[in-house]
Amino acid sequence: MNGSVRTSSWWLALALAGCATPALRGTGDLGLVVERGSGRVLIVDTTARQAIGAVEGLGDLSHASVVYSRDGRYAFVFGRDGGLTKVDLLKQRIARRIVQAGNSIGGAISQDGRLIAVANYEPGGVKVFSSETLEQLADLPATELGGGRRSKVVGLEDAPGNRFVFSLFDTGEIWLADLSDPATPRVRRYTGIGAQPYDGLVTPDGRYYLAGLFGEDGAALLDLWRPEAGVRRVLSGYGRGEQRLPVYKMPHLEGWAVAGREVFLPAVGAHEVLVVETENWRETARIPVHGQPVFVMAQPGGRRVWVNYAYPDNDTVQVIDVPSRRIVGTLKPGKAVLHMEFTPRGGEVWISARDDDRVLVYDTASLAELARIPARKPSGIFFTSRAFVIGM
Amino acid sequence: MNGSVRTSSWWLALALAGCATPALRGTGDLGLVVERGSGRVLIVDTTARQAIGAVEGLGDLSHASVVYSRDGRYAFVFGRDGGLTKVDLLKQRIARRIVQAGNSIGGAISQDGRLIAVANYEPGGVKVFSSETLEQLADLPATELGGGRRSKVVGLEDAPGNRFVFSLFDTGEIWLADLSDPATPRVRRYTGIGAQPYDGLVTPDGRYYLAGLFGEDGAALLDLWRPEAGVRRVLSGYGRGEQRLPVYKMPHLEGWAVAGREVFLPAVGAHEVLVVETENWRETARIPVHGQPVFVMAQPGGRRVWVNYAYPDNDTVQVIDVPSRRIVGTLKPGKAVLHMEFTPRGGEVWISARDDDRVLVYDTASLAELARIPARKPSGIFFTSRAFVIGM
C-alpha cells in the first residue's frame, strides 16, 4: 500500500512536472537579449520587465541577430560562426541547431514564415532553410572572385512576395531573389551598384531597399515596386567624404529611422544625424549630436528618434524631437551601449550596456528608468513583435 | 491494491487532463472571427488557416470589435449591448465579462496595455477599465444634452502616451483624454469641430486623429503632436455633397488606407475611392469603383488597397494598384462581405461573407483562394497582431 502510494505520487509528480514547467502564456510580450561572447540568450518578458529564462549553447554570438516565427514562439538566432539556432521561447530550450557556414552576418524570414535565409561571408552567398526543420532548401552562391572564393553577402532583408534582397560586398551587386518556389529560386542581379555595399534596409512600407556604400560616398536604392527600373544612386554626399574621417564603427542601416516622409540616418564619421526626404531621397538637414551615431531609431508612434554612439561616446543615448529637430534628452545608461529595442507600441525602450553587464528599461515619454536587468555582456535585443514587420 | 491503482490512475488522468487541454503554443498567429448574432467568436489559426475553437456567451455581437492584450493571449470584445468580454485564446474560454453600459460602439487599449476604454451611446460617455480585472477605473460622461441624456461617443482610439481620443456625435466635439493616472484623467475638449462626427481614425504613425462628419461635408483633423494647435477642418468636399446621394451604409474610417504619403478613403454615397495627400490633406484623385465603398484597406507592405462595398454590391471585393490607381482584381467571396483582415506581413487576407456563412482566405499576390472556413454569419475578423499597432 505504501509502495503503491509512493508510485502514484511519483507518477502524479511526473505528470504535473511534465506539463507544469512551460507555463501557458502568450508570446506577444517576449523577447531575447543576446549575451555576446557567452553563447547564451536571455528570454525576457516586457510586461514583467524581467528575464524569465536563459538558453545556452548557441556558439559565437558576437554581432548576432534574431528573427521570429509567425506564431512568435520560435526565435531564429544567426550567430557569427555560421550557427543557425531555433530557440523555443515557451519551453526555454533549443529546438534545432545547425552550423550552416563558416562565417555569417544575419538573416531574414520570408513573408509567409516558411523560409529562413542566411547571409554568409564564408562561403559567400545565401542559404535558405525550412523554418520548421532547418533543412536546407536552396543555395545561392555569390559571384566568384577567383581562387574558389566568392563575394561576401551583407544587408539581407525580406521583401513582400517571399522575396529576399541582399548586397554583395566585394562585387558591388544587389540581388533580388524570389523564393516563392524554393526549389527554383529566381534571382535578378543588379551589378555596378557602387563600391562595397556594407549594409541594407527595407523601408517600413516594404517599398525601397537601400544599401549603404563603404567604398565610395552615396547609397544604392532599389524600388521594389518597380524592380525593372533598376538600382539608382542617391545621397551622393552620404559617406566618409573627401576628408576620410576616422570611423570608429560603421553605422547600422537597419536602424535608419523612417518618420513620416523623412529618414533620419547616421552620418559616417561625423557627429551628425542626417535628415533625408524620401520623395527624391535628398538631404534636407543635419542635426549636431554627441558622437558618431551607430543606431538612429524611430520610436513607434512617437515624434522621437533615439541615437546611440560609437566609441568613445558609447556611454550615451540621445533623444531627438522630430518636428523641432532638437535634442530633448540625453541618457547615460552605462558603458558600451550596443543596441536599443522599443516595445511595439513605443511606450518603453530597452537598452543594452555591454560593459556594465546590464539592460535598462526606460519610459520613452518621461525618460525615467523603469528597470535594470542583469545580463552578461548584452548586445542585441529582439522582441517577438518583429514577427509582424517586413524587412527586419 | 486495486482501489489504490484506480485512485492513482484517476489522479494521473486528472493531472494530465488539467494540463493537456490547452496546448502550449505561440499566440502570434491567432485571431477571432465574430459571429454576428449568435454571441459566439471563433478562434482561428492563421498558419493552419482553420478555426481551432469557439467561445460562446458574449451577448449581442452586431458591430462588435476587438482589441488584444500586449501578450496576445487575451481578446477584449466590445459588444453592441454594452458587454465587455475578456476571452482567453489559449484556454478557449471567457476569462471575465461585464455589462458596462446599455449600448456601446467599440473601444481601445492603452499604449501600456493596462487600460481598456469603451465608447458608449447609452449612457453617453467613455468608461475605462483595468485590462487585468475589468474593474472600472475611470468614468468620463459626455456633454449633457438635457433631460439627463448625454452625447453619444464614437470613433474612440488609443494614442501614444496612454491617451484616448474620441468624438461626441451629438455635440460636435473631440476629446483627448490623458489616462496616465487613471484616478485623475486629464481631458482636453475641442468644441465646434463640425456637425455629427460619426467615426474616427488615428494614422499609423500615431500623429493624426481624423473624424468624419455626418452632418456636413468635410472632416475634423487633430494633430496629436501639437494638441495645443486645435482641431482644423479638412477635406471640405468630403461627404454626401449637395446632391445628398442615398447612403446605404456609412463607410468605416478605421479602414482608411494610409499608403506612403497618401490616404485612400471611401467616398460617401458615390462609387469612388478618394486619394488624399497627407501633407495638406487635399484630395488629389478619384478612382471609380464597383459600388459604395465601406472599408478601404492598405495591404501591409504592399502596393495594393482592398475595397468592399455596401448593399447591393456587397458580394464584391476589388483590389487597387496604388501607383497606377488601376483596379487589378475583382473577387466575389460571397454574399454580404462585411470585413477584411490582412495577415500582419500582408501575404494573405481573410474576408467574411456573412450570408454565405463562411470566411475566405486569399493569397494577396495571386488572388488565389487558399481556404474557406465555415462560420455562422461572420462579421469582424481581428488578429492578435493588432496588439502591436497604435490607434486600432
Side-chain angles (χ1 to χ4, degrees):
Chain A
M1 193 67 183
N2 272 349
S4 167
V5 166
R6 273 201 305 275
T7 306
S8 98
S9 300
W10 183 82
W11 273 104
L12 177 59
L14 185 75
L16 287 169
C19 69
T21 308
L24 199 67
R25 59 165 299 152
T27 47
D29 56 352
L30 296 181
L32 291 185
V33 172
V34 173
E35 292 190 324
R36 186 192 173 93
S38 70
R40 196 172 85 147
V41 289
L42 297 182
I43 300 173
V44 296
D45 173 333
T46 66
T47 303
R49 299 186 194 117
Q50 283 179 349
I52 59 168
V55 179
E56 313 217 341
L58 279 72
D60 179 1
L61 295 182
S62 54
H63 216 282
S65 63
V66 178
V67 299
Y68 285 95
S69 62
R70 68 199 303 289
D71 61 1
R73 175 173 178 176
Y74 298 101
F76 299 90
V77 182
F78 306 102
R80 189 55 190 254
D81 56 0
L84 168 58
T85 311
K86 181 176 178 176
V87 175
D88 184 336
L89 271 63
L90 291 176
K91 292 192 173 169
Q92 304 197 348
R93 68 181 190 202
I94 291 174
R96 286 176 195 272
R97 174 173 162 79
I98 59 172
V99 176
Q100 55 82 42
N103 190 335
S104 67
I105 190 72
I109 185 164
S110 60
Q111 185 180 36
D112 67 6
R114 291 185 300 131
L115 306 174
I116 303 292
V118 191
N120 290 322
Y121 279 6
E122 185 50 50
V126 169
K127 288 183 179 170
V128 180
F129 302 89
S130 157
S131 62
E132 184 67 29
T133 63
L134 300 193
E135 174 199 1
Q136 184 172 318
L137 299 178
D139 185 15
L140 305 172
T143 303
E144 281 196 78
L145 302 173
R149 291 178 55 246
R150 294 181 183 276
S151 173
K152 292 194 280 289
V153 171
V154 298
L156 171 63
E157 306 285 340
D158 60 285
N162 294 320
R163 293 177 299 173
F164 295 104
V165 56
F166 48 90
S167 297
L168 279 63
F169 178 83
D170 301 291
T171 52
E173 297 175 66
I174 290 174
W175 287 16
L176 178 60
D178 184 338
L179 272 290
S180 301
D181 177 5
T184 55
R186 286 173 297 161
V187 180
R188 193 193 281 255
R189 297 172 172 80
Y190 303 92
T191 56
I193 61 101
Q196 297 178 319
Y198 70 96
D199 200 1
L201 72 86
V202 168
T203 53
D205 58 6
R207 175 158 190 185
Y208 294 107
Y209 177 76
L210 193 70
L213 301 175
F214 186 76
E216 62 185 279
D217 285 355
L221 183 76
L222 175 61
D223 183 347
L224 297 167
W225 286 9
R226 303 196 313 131
E228 67 283 0
V231 173
R232 65 192 169 105
R233 207 70 60 84
V234 294
L235 300 175
S236 58
Y238 184 65
R240 290 186 292 168
E242 292 186 3
Q243 297 170 44
R244 294 277 152 185
L245 295 161
V247 177
Y248 293 103
K249 180 172 171 55
M250 284 305 283
H252 271 268
L253 299 206
E254 193 209 313
W256 285 19
V258 177
R261 295 177 173 77
E262 293 172 328
V263 179
F264 289 72
L265 57 95
V268 181
H271 291 200
E272 290 170 338
V273 167
L274 313 186
V275 185
V276 169
E277 54 81 15
T278 57
E279 183 79 48
N280 299 300
W281 292 91
R282 289 211 182 97
E283 188 183 311
T284 56
R286 294 189 166 228
I287 303 168
V289 291
H290 179 72
Q292 293 188 3
V294 176
F295 280 105
V296 176
M297 307 183 86
Q299 178 184 322
R303 52 187 278 175
R304 288 174 165 187
V305 164
W306 294 61
V307 190
N308 76 333
Y309 300 101
Y311 178 85
D313 299 308
N314 57 353
D315 63 339
T316 300
V317 168
Q318 287 188 308
V319 185
I320 299 171
D321 175 64
V322 166
S324 70
R325 312 209 183 301
R326 279 203 212 116
I327 288 167
V328 293
T330 297
L331 301 173
K332 299 281 184 185
K335 288 181 213 144
V337 170
L338 290 193
H339 200 217
M340 304 177 281
E341 178 87 337
F342 295 97
T343 52
R345 298 209 291 169
E348 298 175 12
V349 63
W350 289 45
I351 297 177
S352 58
R354 183 192 61 198
D355 294 350
D356 278 333
D357 294 306
R358 66 192 186 203
V359 169
L360 296 102
V361 183
Y362 293 94
D363 180 306
T364 56
S366 67
L367 307 187
E369 185 186 315
L370 300 174
R372 54 178 69 192
I373 297 158
R376 300 182 207 153
K377 306 288 171 228
S379 56
I381 306 171
F382 303 92
F383 296 154
T384 54
S385 48
R386 288 176 174 245
F388 306 117
V389 182
I390 286 166
M392 292 302 276
Chain B
M1 192 66 185
N2 274 348
S4 167
V5 167
R6 275 202 303 275
T7 306
S8 97
S9 300
W10 183 82
W11 274 105
L12 178 60
L14 185 73
L16 288 170
C19 68
T21 309
L24 199 66
R25 60 165 299 151
T27 48
D29 56 352
L30 296 180
L32 291 185
V33 172
V34 172
E35 291 190 325
R36 186 192 173 95
S38 69
R40 194 172 86 146
V41 289
L42 297 182
I43 300 174
V44 296
D45 173 333
T46 66
T47 302
R49 298 184 194 120
Q50 283 178 348
I52 58 168
V55 178
E56 313 216 342
L58 279 73
D60 179 1
L61 295 182
S62 55
H63 216 284
S65 63
V66 178
V67 299
Y68 286 95
S69 62
R70 66 198 307 286
D71 62 1
R73 176 172 177 175
Y74 299 99
F76 299 90
V77 182
F78 306 101
R80 189 55 191 253
D81 56 0
L84 169 58
T85 312
K86 181 175 179 177
V87 175
D88 183 337
L89 271 63
L90 291 176
K91 291 191 174 169
Q92 304 196 348
R93 68 181 191 202
I94 292 174
R96 285 174 196 275
R97 175 173 162 80
I98 58 173
V99 175
Q100 55 81 43
N103 191 336
S104 68
I105 189 73
I109 185 165
S110 61
Q111 184 180 36
D112 67 5
R114 290 185 300 132
L115 306 174
I116 303 291
V118 191
N120 290 324
Y121 280 4
E122 186 48 52
V126 170
K127 288 184 179 171
V128 180
F129 302 89
S130 157
S131 61
E132 184 66 30
T133 62
L134 299 192
E135 173 198 3
Q136 185 172 317
L137 300 178
D139 186 15
L140 305 172
T143 302
E144 282 195 78
L145 301 172
R149 292 179 53 249
R150 295 180 182 275
S151 173
K152 292 195 279 290
V153 171
V154 298
L156 171 63
E157 305 285 340
D158 61 286
N162 295 318
R163 293 178 298 173
F164 294 104
V165 56
F166 48 91
S167 296
L168 279 63
F169 178 84
D170 302 290
T171 52
E173 298 175 67
I174 291 173
W175 288 13
L176 177 61
D178 183 338
L179 271 291
S180 301
D181 176 7
T184 56
R186 284 172 298 161
V187 180
R188 193 193 282 254
R189 296 172 172 80
Y190 303 91
T191 55
I193 61 101
Q196 296 177 321
Y198 70 96
D199 200 3
L201 71 86
V202 168
T203 53
D205 59 5
R207 176 159 187 181
Y208 294 107
Y209 177 77
L210 194 70
L213 300 175
F214 186 76
E216 62 186 282
D217 285 355
L221 183 75
L222 175 61
D223 183 347
L224 296 168
W225 287 8
R226 300 179 38 225
E228 67 283 0
V231 172
R232 65 193 169 103
R233 206 70 60 85
V234 294
L235 300 174
S236 57
Y238 185 63
R240 290 186 292 168
E242 292 185 3
Q243 297 171 43
R244 295 277 152 185
L245 295 162
V247 177
Y248 294 102
K249 179 172 171 56
M250 284 304 283
H252 272 267
L253 299 204
E254 194 209 313
W256 285 20
V258 176
R261 294 177 176 74
E262 293 171 328
V263 179
F264 289 72
L265 56 96
V268 181
H271 291 200
E272 290 170 336
V273 168
L274 313 186
V275 185
V276 169
E277 53 83 14
T278 56
E279 182 80 46
N280 299 299
W281 293 91
R282 289 211 182 97
E283 188 184 313
T284 56
R286 293 187 167 231
I287 303 168
V289 291
H290 179 72
Q292 291 188 3
V294 176
F295 280 105
V296 176
M297 308 184 86
Q299 178 184 321
R303 51 186 279 176
R304 289 174 166 186
V305 163
W306 293 61
V307 189
N308 75 332
Y309 301 101
Y311 178 87
D313 300 307
N314 56 353
D315 64 339
T316 300
V317 168
Q318 286 187 308
V319 186
I320 298 172
D321 175 64
V322 166
S324 70
R325 316 219 184 289
R326 279 204 211 114
I327 288 165
V328 293
T330 298
L331 301 173
K332 299 280 184 187
K335 289 181 215 143
V337 169
L338 290 193
H339 200 218
M340 303 178 280
E341 177 88 336
F342 295 98
T343 53
R345 299 208 291 169
E348 298 175 10
V349 63
W350 289 45
I351 297 177
S352 58
R354 183 192 63 200
D355 293 349
D356 277 334
D357 293 307
R358 66 191 186 203
V359 170
L360 296 102
V361 183
Y362 293 94
D363 179 307
T364 56
S366 67
L367 307 187
E369 184 186 315
L370 301 174
R372 52 178 71 190
I373 297 159
R376 300 183 207 151
K377 307 286 172 231
S379 57
I381 306 171
F382 303 91
F383 296 154
T384 54
S385 49
R386 288 175 175 248
F388 306 117
V389 182
I390 287 167
M392 292 301 277

